[in-house]
């Protein structure tokens, strides 16, 4: 898969800060995205995920 086949995703936290953008393979599962987000989540922040 070439680099052009990756997608950029950015997640905005409720306080306006962002996680990302990060590049992901289009076949990445929601579970894998969740794990990726959790590893970058700020310590001490509450966790509410909303996928639109």
């Amino acid at each position: 898969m070439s680099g052009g086949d990756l997608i950029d995703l950015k997640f905005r936290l409720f306080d306006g800060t962002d996680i990302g953008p990060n590049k992901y393979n289009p076949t990445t599962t929601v579970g894998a995205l969740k794990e990726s987000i959790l590893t970058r989540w700020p310590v001490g922040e509450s966790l509410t995920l909303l996928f639109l």
Side-chain angles (χ1 to χ4, degrees):
M1 177 171 276
S2 70
D5 293 337
L6 299 177
I7 56 173
D8 285 332
L9 289 177
K10 177 171 58 174
F11 298 92
R12 176 140 306 149
L13 303 177
F14 64 92
D15 66 358
T17 59
D18 294 333
I19 296 176
N22 296 300
K23 294 190 182 297
Y24 296 94
N25 185 308
T27 61
T28 302
T29 65
V30 171
L33 286 173
K34 175 184 165 187
E35 291 301 317
S36 176
I37 293 167
L38 290 176
T39 61
R40 293 176 179 89
W41 200 264
V43 175
E45 294 290 327
S46 62
L47 178 63
T48 303
L49 295 179
L50 176 61
F51 293 96
L52 301 174

